[in-house]
Amino acid sequence: MDSEAEDTKSQLEPLPKKNKNKKNKKKKDSPPEPVPVPVQVRAKVQVVHEHPHKTPPIVGYFPSGFDPVNSSANGSDSTGFQVYRNRNMTKRLQLVVSPAGSPVEFVGTSYSGEAGAAHRAMYALGVFDKEAQTLKVVPIAANKIFRLEPKVKALEVADKEPVNSTMEELTPQLKAVKARQTTALWGTKKEIEKAKKKLALKQDDDPDAQKNLDVKMKNVVVNKKALESTEALVSRNIPPYDTSATTPQEAYILDQIILKGEWDYLEDIYNILHGEEADFKAYPTFVCNRIERLKKIKEESEKKKLSCIFSYINHLIKFKDQHSMDGVSSAKGHKIPNILRHKFSSMFPASESKRLPAEKINLLICYVLVLTLFSDEFRTDYRDIAKDLRMSVIPVRQLYEHLGCKFARQNNMSYATLPVPLKFPDSRTRKRKR
């Protein structure tokens, strides 16, 4: 019995513990692995801008999972690619990748699918040269990123897209909607506000806004005096005015000449004034002669308002030059905001030859002359504006008279002034000699 108990006791005794301290000691004694130190590189960054006569970088990706690098490494022939440009529409590009020995090729276009969705995002491609220590950055527009879809060569479907394809070309309306959605998600605060104002101006053409118009017009009271004034306005061919005004500032209605939504598109001169290099060579002589007076105005709101009036005068003169024989070359590169261009085109419609009729030219000039009165506190020297309008002084003086102006002479110089209330000259008819 005792031997059995001893055997059982020996079986129940725990095994001798391993000496963990030795292992821990070895771990503690071993030096820590060195941490790799990042190598700092001072590289010269060079931004390569797009050249008009060279094709910019093109990026293509394969949603199908095709790897052109491995495909070229396994075979004897390399994967080829071609870039095609439309002869009539040079901005339309097509990228075709042809794997060697394969009946399938991959096709992507810049005018349909994801590339043609009017994305505003910008990307860049960077190439780092270790030896030269240079980093070249090439900007890439969103419409230069191609989604390469597989096409079968034998069926010649590279040029014909299926009806339900994701690469179907978007309509202008759908592009505008997607552009607004992109701006709302990723645009800056200024771009979002600008898009909202542009959308609000276009709501007048919305068919839904014209519904039940007859019901709304029943409660409208007709102002006969205003109607008569409007008829006189059309017959006189001058800007909106008020004959009952007691001050020159109210004689011609500035809010009806420059509408509320247009002031935000007339801040170019005001922004140039606050820039480092103020260059006004492209502006009319009338504006350039008054820049120094504009700089001396201390109140910013007044300075901004006068700058916008000068900008409106500039756009009116450039619009006139763009639709005339003698001034089209000087206004060729001038860009008029779309909101003003649409307004000018409806107010001063051109003929089939893209020239303004004499009646519309006189109306446009009257708008310019009224704004010169506002800019010069209703006492203006009209010699420089006559030069900008490519006219002699006498017909410009006659148009000022047509607007109800009188003339004052001081220091051998004639100034146009605007007395109130407005009194227009009677139409003079010559009597025939018998």
Side-chain angles (χ1 to χ4, degrees), residues 127-158:
V127 180
F128 178 64
D129 189 346
K130 289 184 178 179
E131 295 180 359
Q133 296 291 300
T134 58
L135 176 63
K136 290 186 178 181
V137 180
V138 184
I140 302 173
N143 63 349
K144 298 297 187 298
I145 298 178
F146 296 84
R147 177 187 175 94
L148 296 169
E149 298 285 352
K151 306 290 181 181
V152 181
K153 293 180 182 179
L155 298 179
E156 296 181 356
V157 294

PDB file of all heavy atoms in Angstrom, residues 127-158:
ATOM      1  N   VAL A 127       6.119  63.161 -60.591  1.00  0.00           N
ATOM      2  CA  VAL A 127       7.242  62.295 -60.986  1.00  0.00           C
ATOM      3  C   VAL A 127       8.481  62.791 -60.242  1.00  0.00           C
ATOM      4  O   VAL A 127       8.918  63.936 -60.442  1.00  0.00           O
ATOM      5  CB  VAL A 127       7.465  62.338 -62.514  1.00  0.00           C
ATOM      6  CG1 VAL A 127       8.628  61.428 -62.883  1.00  0.00           C
ATOM      7  CG2 VAL A 127       6.209  61.920 -63.249  1.00  0.00           C
ATOM      8  N   PHE A 128       9.051  61.915 -59.369  1.00  0.00           N
ATOM      9  CA  PHE A 128      10.209  62.290 -58.567  1.00  0.00           C
ATOM     10  C   PHE A 128      11.478  61.668 -59.148  1.00  0.00           C
ATOM     11  O   PHE A 128      11.551  60.460 -59.360  1.00  0.00           O
ATOM     12  CB  PHE A 128      10.016  61.825 -57.122  1.00  0.00           C
ATOM     13  CG  PHE A 128      11.193  62.123 -56.230  1.00  0.00           C
ATOM     14  CD1 PHE A 128      11.561  63.426 -55.979  1.00  0.00           C
ATOM     15  CD2 PHE A 128      11.933  61.102 -55.674  1.00  0.00           C
ATOM     16  CE1 PHE A 128      12.644  63.716 -55.167  1.00  0.00           C
ATOM     17  CE2 PHE A 128      13.016  61.368 -54.867  1.00  0.00           C
ATOM     18  CZ  PHE A 128      13.373  62.689 -54.608  1.00  0.00           C
ATOM     19  N   ASP A 129      12.469  62.482 -59.423  1.00  0.00           N
ATOM     20  CA  ASP A 129      13.762  62.040 -59.950  1.00  0.00           C
ATOM     21  C   ASP A 129      14.776  62.081 -58.808  1.00  0.00           C
ATOM     22  O   ASP A 129      15.144  63.163 -58.314  1.00  0.00           O
ATOM     23  CB  ASP A 129      14.195  62.968 -61.092  1.00  0.00           C
ATOM     24  CG  ASP A 129      15.415  62.433 -61.824  1.00  0.00           C
ATOM     25  OD1 ASP A 129      16.070  61.503 -61.301  1.00  0.00           O
ATOM     26  OD2 ASP A 129      15.723  62.944 -62.917  1.00  0.00           O
ATOM     27  N   LYS A 130      15.236  60.890 -58.354  1.00  0.00           N
ATOM     28  CA  LYS A 130      16.161  60.831 -57.217  1.00  0.00           C
ATOM     29  C   LYS A 130      17.510  61.441 -57.551  1.00  0.00           C
ATOM     30  O   LYS A 130      18.124  62.114 -56.716  1.00  0.00           O
ATOM     31  CB  LYS A 130      16.343  59.378 -56.777  1.00  0.00           C
ATOM     32  CG  LYS A 130      15.133  58.778 -56.091  1.00  0.00           C
ATOM     33  CD  LYS A 130      15.434  57.376 -55.590  1.00  0.00           C
ATOM     34  CE  LYS A 130      14.235  56.786 -54.844  1.00  0.00           C
ATOM     35  NZ  LYS A 130      14.535  55.423 -54.374  1.00  0.00           N
ATOM     36  N   GLU A 131      17.992  61.181 -58.750  1.00  0.00           N
ATOM     37  CA  GLU A 131      19.317  61.682 -59.103  1.00  0.00           C
ATOM     38  C   GLU A 131      19.321  63.210 -59.221  1.00  0.00           C
ATOM     39  O   GLU A 131      20.198  63.882 -58.676  1.00  0.00           O
ATOM     40  CB  GLU A 131      19.768  61.049 -60.423  1.00  0.00           C
ATOM     41  CG  GLU A 131      19.961  59.538 -60.331  1.00  0.00           C
ATOM     42  CD  GLU A 131      20.407  58.938 -61.643  1.00  0.00           C
ATOM     43  OE1 GLU A 131      20.541  59.716 -62.613  1.00  0.00           O
ATOM     44  OE2 GLU A 131      20.629  57.708 -61.696  1.00  0.00           O
ATOM     45  N   ALA A 132      18.349  63.742 -59.918  1.00  0.00           N
ATOM     46  CA  ALA A 132      18.305  65.195 -60.100  1.00  0.00           C
ATOM     47  C   ALA A 132      17.651  65.916 -58.926  1.00  0.00           C
ATOM     48  O   ALA A 132      17.696  67.144 -58.856  1.00  0.00           O
ATOM     49  CB  ALA A 132      17.555  65.538 -61.385  1.00  0.00           C
ATOM     50  N   GLN A 133      17.026  65.143 -58.000  1.00  0.00           N
ATOM     51  CA  GLN A 133      16.331  65.726 -56.845  1.00  0.00           C
ATOM     52  C   GLN A 133      15.278  66.753 -57.285  1.00  0.00           C
ATOM     53  O   GLN A 133      15.210  67.871 -56.795  1.00  0.00           O
ATOM     54  CB  GLN A 133      17.337  66.386 -55.891  1.00  0.00           C
ATOM     55  CG  GLN A 133      18.329  65.413 -55.264  1.00  0.00           C
ATOM     56  CD  GLN A 133      17.659  64.469 -54.278  1.00  0.00           C
ATOM     57  OE1 GLN A 133      17.084  64.896 -53.290  1.00  0.00           O
ATOM     58  NE2 GLN A 133      17.727  63.181 -54.534  1.00  0.00           N
ATOM     59  N   THR A 134      14.459  66.338 -58.232  1.00  0.00           N
ATOM     60  CA  THR A 134      13.396  67.208 -58.728  1.00  0.00           C
ATOM     61  C   THR A 134      12.074  66.470 -58.685  1.00  0.00           C
ATOM     62  O   THR A 134      12.028  65.239 -58.839  1.00  0.00           O
ATOM     63  CB  THR A 134      13.663  67.660 -60.176  1.00  0.00           C
ATOM     64  OG1 THR A 134      13.794  66.500 -61.016  1.00  0.00           O
ATOM     65  CG2 THR A 134      14.923  68.513 -60.254  1.00  0.00           C
ATOM     66  N   LEU A 135      11.017  67.220 -58.446  1.00  0.00           N
ATOM     67  CA  LEU A 135       9.658  66.683 -58.435  1.00  0.00           C
ATOM     68  C   LEU A 135       8.826  67.484 -59.426  1.00  0.00           C
ATOM     69  O   LEU A 135       8.579  68.670 -59.240  1.00  0.00           O
ATOM     70  CB  LEU A 135       9.033  66.788 -57.037  1.00  0.00           C
ATOM     71  CG  LEU A 135       7.565  66.353 -56.920  1.00  0.00           C
ATOM     72  CD1 LEU A 135       7.409  64.878 -57.253  1.00  0.00           C
ATOM     73  CD2 LEU A 135       7.022  66.651 -55.528  1.00  0.00           C
ATOM     74  N   LYS A 136       8.438  66.829 -60.514  1.00  0.00           N
ATOM     75  CA  LYS A 136       7.613  67.466 -61.530  1.00  0.00           C
ATOM     76  C   LYS A 136       6.153  67.141 -61.272  1.00  0.00           C
ATOM     77  O   LYS A 136       5.779  65.974 -61.158  1.00  0.00           O
ATOM     78  CB  LYS A 136       8.019  67.004 -62.935  1.00  0.00           C
ATOM     79  CG  LYS A 136       9.380  67.527 -63.381  1.00  0.00           C
ATOM     80  CD  LYS A 136       9.664  67.158 -64.818  1.00  0.00           C
ATOM     81  CE  LYS A 136      11.008  67.718 -65.282  1.00  0.00           C
ATOM     82  NZ  LYS A 136      11.285  67.394 -66.694  1.00  0.00           N
ATOM     83  N   VAL A 137       5.335  68.181 -61.169  1.00  0.00           N
ATOM     84  CA  VAL A 137       3.904  68.033 -60.901  1.00  0.00           C
ATOM     85  C   VAL A 137       3.143  68.499 -62.138  1.00  0.00           C
ATOM     86  O   VAL A 137       3.308  69.633 -62.592  1.00  0.00           O
ATOM     87  CB  VAL A 137       3.471  68.853 -59.671  1.00  0.00           C
ATOM     88  CG1 VAL A 137       1.983  68.685 -59.415  1.00  0.00           C
ATOM     89  CG2 VAL A 137       4.270  68.421 -58.448  1.00  0.00           C
ATOM     90  N   VAL A 138       2.341  67.605 -62.677  1.00  0.00           N
ATOM     91  CA  VAL A 138       1.570  67.899 -63.884  1.00  0.00           C
ATOM     92  C   VAL A 138       0.087  67.872 -63.525  1.00  0.00           C
ATOM     93  O   VAL A 138      -0.432  66.816 -63.135  1.00  0.00           O
ATOM     94  CB  VAL A 138       1.859  66.880 -65.002  1.00  0.00           C
ATOM     95  CG1 VAL A 138       1.120  67.266 -66.274  1.00  0.00           C
ATOM     96  CG2 VAL A 138       3.349  66.787 -65.254  1.00  0.00           C
ATOM     97  N   PRO A 139      -0.629  69.015 -63.575  1.00  0.00           N
ATOM     98  CA  PRO A 139      -2.065  69.002 -63.291  1.00  0.00           C
ATOM     99  C   PRO A 139      -2.834  68.189 -64.329  1.00  0.00           C
ATOM    100  O   PRO A 139      -2.513  68.210 -65.520  1.00  0.00           O
ATOM    101  CB  PRO A 139      -2.457  70.488 -63.352  1.00  0.00           C
ATOM    102  CG  PRO A 139      -1.175  71.235 -63.242  1.00  0.00           C
ATOM    103  CD  PRO A 139      -0.126  70.360 -63.851  1.00  0.00           C
ATOM    104  N   ILE A 140      -3.831  67.478 -63.860  1.00  0.00           N
ATOM    105  CA  ILE A 140      -4.669  66.652 -64.737  1.00  0.00           C
ATOM    106  C   ILE A 140      -6.122  67.006 -64.467  1.00  0.00           C
ATOM    107  O   ILE A 140      -6.585  66.936 -63.327  1.00  0.00           O
ATOM    108  CB  ILE A 140      -4.441  65.149 -64.491  1.00  0.00           C
ATOM    109  CG1 ILE A 140      -2.967  64.792 -64.718  1.00  0.00           C
ATOM    110  CG2 ILE A 140      -5.327  64.310 -65.387  1.00  0.00           C
ATOM    111  CD1 ILE A 140      -2.629  63.389 -64.328  1.00  0.00           C
ATOM    112  N   ALA A 141      -6.836  67.401 -65.491  1.00  0.00           N
ATOM    113  CA  ALA A 141      -8.254  67.714 -65.332  1.00  0.00           C
ATOM    114  C   ALA A 141      -9.059  66.430 -65.199  1.00  0.00           C
ATOM    115  O   ALA A 141      -8.618  65.342 -65.582  1.00  0.00           O
ATOM    116  CB  ALA A 141      -8.751  68.524 -66.521  1.00  0.00           C
ATOM    117  N   ALA A 142     -10.265  66.580 -64.631  1.00  0.00           N
ATOM    118  CA  ALA A 142     -11.103  65.399 -64.415  1.00  0.00           C
ATOM    119  C   ALA A 142     -11.515  64.749 -65.723  1.00  0.00           C
ATOM    120  O   ALA A 142     -11.711  63.540 -65.793  1.00  0.00           O
ATOM    121  CB  ALA A 142     -12.345  65.787 -63.603  1.00  0.00           C
ATOM    122  N   ASN A 143     -11.662  65.535 -66.802  1.00  0.00           N
ATOM    123  CA  ASN A 143     -12.077  64.950 -68.072  1.00  0.00           C
ATOM    124  C   ASN A 143     -10.928  64.296 -68.821  1.00  0.00           C
ATOM    125  O   ASN A 143     -11.075  63.896 -69.968  1.00  0.00           O
ATOM    126  CB  ASN A 143     -12.733  66.006 -68.961  1.00  0.00           C
ATOM    127  CG  ASN A 143     -11.769  67.119 -69.329  1.00  0.00           C
ATOM    128  OD1 ASN A 143     -10.689  67.215 -68.763  1.00  0.00           O
ATOM    129  ND2 ASN A 143     -12.170  67.950 -70.262  1.00  0.00           N
ATOM    130  N   LYS A 144      -9.743  64.208 -68.192  1.00  0.00           N
ATOM    131  CA  LYS A 144      -8.631  63.462 -68.778  1.00  0.00           C
ATOM    132  C   LYS A 144      -8.410  62.130 -68.055  1.00  0.00           C
ATOM    133  O   LYS A 144      -7.368  61.513 -68.184  1.00  0.00           O
ATOM    134  CB  LYS A 144      -7.339  64.290 -68.715  1.00  0.00           C
ATOM    135  CG  LYS A 144      -7.399  65.597 -69.497  1.00  0.00           C
ATOM    136  CD  LYS A 144      -7.584  65.348 -70.972  1.00  0.00           C
ATOM    137  CE  LYS A 144      -7.484  66.640 -71.768  1.00  0.00           C
ATOM    138  NZ  LYS A 144      -8.505  67.619 -71.417  1.00  0.00           N
ATOM    139  N   ILE A 145      -9.384  61.727 -67.241  1.00  0.00           N
ATOM    140  CA  ILE A 145      -9.323  60.440 -66.541  1.00  0.00           C
ATOM    141  C   ILE A 145     -10.359  59.529 -67.188  1.00  0.00           C
ATOM    142  O   ILE A 145     -11.560  59.793 -67.140  1.00  0.00           O
ATOM    143  CB  ILE A 145      -9.577  60.610 -65.037  1.00  0.00           C
ATOM    144  CG1 ILE A 145      -8.482  61.490 -64.435  1.00  0.00           C
ATOM    145  CG2 ILE A 145      -9.609  59.270 -64.340  1.00  0.00           C
ATOM    146  CD1 ILE A 145      -8.653  61.763 -62.969  1.00  0.00           C
ATOM    147  N   PHE A 146      -9.887  58.457 -67.796  1.00  0.00           N
ATOM    148  CA  PHE A 146     -10.738  57.605 -68.630  1.00  0.00           C
ATOM    149  C   PHE A 146     -11.070  56.298 -67.900  1.00  0.00           C
ATOM    150  O   PHE A 146     -10.183  55.662 -67.313  1.00  0.00           O
ATOM    151  CB  PHE A 146     -10.036  57.271 -69.941  1.00  0.00           C
ATOM    152  CG  PHE A 146      -9.775  58.465 -70.820  1.00  0.00           C
ATOM    153  CD1 PHE A 146      -8.654  59.255 -70.625  1.00  0.00           C
ATOM    154  CD2 PHE A 146     -10.643  58.808 -71.822  1.00  0.00           C
ATOM    155  CE1 PHE A 146      -8.415  60.357 -71.415  1.00  0.00           C
ATOM    156  CE2 PHE A 146     -10.412  59.911 -72.620  1.00  0.00           C
ATOM    157  CZ  PHE A 146      -9.296  60.678 -72.410  1.00  0.00           C
ATOM    158  N   ARG A 147     -12.312  55.918 -67.970  1.00  0.00           N
ATOM    159  CA  ARG A 147     -12.745  54.597 -67.515  1.00  0.00           C
ATOM    160  C   ARG A 147     -12.702  53.681 -68.738  1.00  0.00           C
ATOM    161  O   ARG A 147     -13.489  53.829 -69.678  1.00  0.00           O
ATOM    162  CB  ARG A 147     -14.163  54.669 -66.945  1.00  0.00           C
ATOM    163  CG  ARG A 147     -14.728  53.331 -66.503  1.00  0.00           C
ATOM    164  CD  ARG A 147     -16.188  53.499 -66.108  1.00  0.00           C
ATOM    165  NE  ARG A 147     -16.807  52.225 -65.799  1.00  0.00           N
ATOM    166  CZ  ARG A 147     -16.905  51.714 -64.575  1.00  0.00           C
ATOM    167  NH1 ARG A 147     -16.441  52.400 -63.552  1.00  0.00           N
ATOM    168  NH2 ARG A 147     -17.479  50.544 -64.374  1.00  0.00           N
ATOM    169  N   LEU A 148     -11.764  52.748 -68.740  1.00  0.00           N
ATOM    170  CA  LEU A 148     -11.510  51.904 -69.900  1.00  0.00           C
ATOM    171  C   LEU A 148     -12.398  50.665 -69.844  1.00  0.00           C
ATOM    172  O   LEU A 148     -12.208  49.779 -69.002  1.00  0.00           O
ATOM    173  CB  LEU A 148     -10.031  51.518 -69.957  1.00  0.00           C
ATOM    174  CG  LEU A 148      -9.079  52.709 -70.154  1.00  0.00           C
ATOM    175  CD1 LEU A 148      -7.648  52.291 -69.921  1.00  0.00           C
ATOM    176  CD2 LEU A 148      -9.238  53.290 -71.541  1.00  0.00           C
ATOM    177  N   GLU A 149     -13.371  50.630 -70.732  1.00  0.00           N
ATOM    178  CA  GLU A 149     -14.321  49.518 -70.803  1.00  0.00           C
ATOM    179  C   GLU A 149     -13.868  48.533 -71.875  1.00  0.00           C
ATOM    180  O   GLU A 149     -13.392  48.938 -72.945  1.00  0.00           O
ATOM    181  CB  GLU A 149     -15.725  50.036 -71.145  1.00  0.00           C
ATOM    182  CG  GLU A 149     -16.308  50.980 -70.117  1.00  0.00           C
ATOM    183  CD  GLU A 149     -16.788  50.265 -68.871  1.00  0.00           C
ATOM    184  OE1 GLU A 149     -16.796  49.015 -68.878  1.00  0.00           O
ATOM    185  OE2 GLU A 149     -17.141  50.951 -67.896  1.00  0.00           O
ATOM    186  N   PRO A 150     -14.004  47.218 -71.630  1.00  0.00           N
ATOM    187  CA  PRO A 150     -13.600  46.229 -72.639  1.00  0.00           C
ATOM    188  C   PRO A 150     -14.559  46.196 -73.823  1.00  0.00           C
ATOM    189  O   PRO A 150     -15.780  46.230 -73.660  1.00  0.00           O
ATOM    190  CB  PRO A 150     -13.639  44.907 -71.851  1.00  0.00           C
ATOM    191  CG  PRO A 150     -14.583  45.148 -70.731  1.00  0.00           C
ATOM    192  CD  PRO A 150     -14.478  46.598 -70.380  1.00  0.00           C
ATOM    193  N   LYS A 151     -14.005  46.166 -75.030  1.00  0.00           N
ATOM    194  CA  LYS A 151     -14.775  46.080 -76.267  1.00  0.00           C
ATOM    195  C   LYS A 151     -14.178  44.980 -77.135  1.00  0.00           C
ATOM    196  O   LYS A 151     -12.961  44.776 -77.163  1.00  0.00           O
ATOM    197  CB  LYS A 151     -14.741  47.406 -77.038  1.00  0.00           C
ATOM    198  CG  LYS A 151     -15.175  48.628 -76.240  1.00  0.00           C
ATOM    199  CD  LYS A 151     -16.654  48.612 -75.952  1.00  0.00           C
ATOM    200  CE  LYS A 151     -17.055  49.854 -75.169  1.00  0.00           C
ATOM    201  NZ  LYS A 151     -18.494  49.864 -74.852  1.00  0.00           N
ATOM    202  N   VAL A 152     -15.040  44.299 -77.869  1.00  0.00           N
ATOM    203  CA  VAL A 152     -14.587  43.234 -78.754  1.00  0.00           C
ATOM    204  C   VAL A 152     -14.223  43.844 -80.104  1.00  0.00           C
ATOM    205  O   VAL A 152     -15.022  44.570 -80.701  1.00  0.00           O
ATOM    206  CB  VAL A 152     -15.672  42.151 -78.921  1.00  0.00           C
ATOM    207  CG1 VAL A 152     -15.167  41.032 -79.831  1.00  0.00           C
ATOM    208  CG2 VAL A 152     -16.062  41.593 -77.571  1.00  0.00           C
ATOM    209  N   LYS A 153     -13.018  43.559 -80.594  1.00  0.00           N
ATOM    210  CA  LYS A 153     -12.551  44.161 -81.834  1.00  0.00           C
ATOM    211  C   LYS A 153     -13.395  43.728 -83.025  1.00  0.00           C
ATOM    212  O   LYS A 153     -13.717  44.521 -83.900  1.00  0.00           O
ATOM    213  CB  LYS A 153     -11.098  43.770 -82.094  1.00  0.00           C
ATOM    214  CG  LYS A 153     -10.105  44.347 -81.105  1.00  0.00           C
ATOM    215  CD  LYS A 153      -8.695  43.906 -81.452  1.00  0.00           C
ATOM    216  CE  LYS A 153      -7.686  44.428 -80.451  1.00  0.00           C
ATOM    217  NZ  LYS A 153      -6.316  43.967 -80.773  1.00  0.00           N
ATOM    218  N   ALA A 154     -13.759  42.465 -83.059  1.00  0.00           N
ATOM    219  CA  ALA A 154     -14.438  41.933 -84.246  1.00  0.00           C
ATOM    220  C   ALA A 154     -15.799  42.577 -84.461  1.00  0.00           C
ATOM    221  O   ALA A 154     -16.262  42.718 -85.588  1.00  0.00           O
ATOM    222  CB  ALA A 154     -14.597  40.413 -84.120  1.00  0.00           C
ATOM    223  N   LEU A 155     -16.440  42.960 -83.366  1.00  0.00           N
ATOM    224  CA  LEU A 155     -17.778  43.534 -83.500  1.00  0.00           C
ATOM    225  C   LEU A 155     -17.747  45.030 -83.777  1.00  0.00           C
ATOM    226  O   LEU A 155     -18.796  45.638 -84.041  1.00  0.00           O
ATOM    227  CB  LEU A 155     -18.583  43.272 -82.213  1.00  0.00           C
ATOM    228  CG  LEU A 155     -18.829  41.799 -81.880  1.00  0.00           C
ATOM    229  CD1 LEU A 155     -19.596  41.683 -80.577  1.00  0.00           C
ATOM    230  CD2 LEU A 155     -19.583  41.109 -83.003  1.00  0.00           C
ATOM    231  N   GLU A 156     -16.567  45.665 -83.684  1.00  0.00           N
ATOM    232  CA  GLU A 156     -16.400  47.087 -83.960  1.00  0.00           C
ATOM    233  C   GLU A 156     -17.377  47.932 -83.149  1.00  0.00           C
ATOM    234  O   GLU A 156     -18.106  48.763 -83.672  1.00  0.00           O
ATOM    235  CB  GLU A 156     -16.584  47.385 -85.447  1.00  0.00           C
ATOM    236  CG  GLU A 156     -15.541  46.727 -86.319  1.00  0.00           C
ATOM    237  CD  GLU A 156     -15.738  47.059 -87.784  1.00  0.00           C
ATOM    238  OE1 GLU A 156     -16.733  47.743 -88.089  1.00  0.00           O
ATOM    239  OE2 GLU A 156     -14.914  46.659 -88.605  1.00  0.00           O
ATOM    240  N   VAL A 157     -17.361  47.704 -81.841  1.00  0.00           N
ATOM    241  CA  VAL A 157     -18.264  48.464 -80.972  1.00  0.00           C
ATOM    242  C   VAL A 157     -17.531  49.579 -80.253  1.00  0.00           C
ATOM    243  O   VAL A 157     -18.077  50.212 -79.365  1.00  0.00           O
ATOM    244  CB  VAL A 157     -18.918  47.520 -79.927  1.00  0.00           C
ATOM    245  CG1 VAL A 157     -19.819  46.538 -80.584  1.00  0.00           C
ATOM    246  CG2 VAL A 157     -17.840  46.818 -79.092  1.00  0.00           C
ATOM    247  N   ALA A 158     -16.289  49.814 -80.634  1.00  0.00           N
ATOM    248  CA  ALA A 158     -15.543  50.880 -79.958  1.00  0.00           C
ATOM    249  C   ALA A 158     -16.165  52.238 -80.221  1.00  0.00           C
ATOM    250  O   ALA A 158     -16.148  53.121 -79.379  1.00  0.00           O
ATOM    251  CB  ALA A 158     -14.093  50.880 -80.418  1.00  0.00           C
TER     252      ALA A 158
END
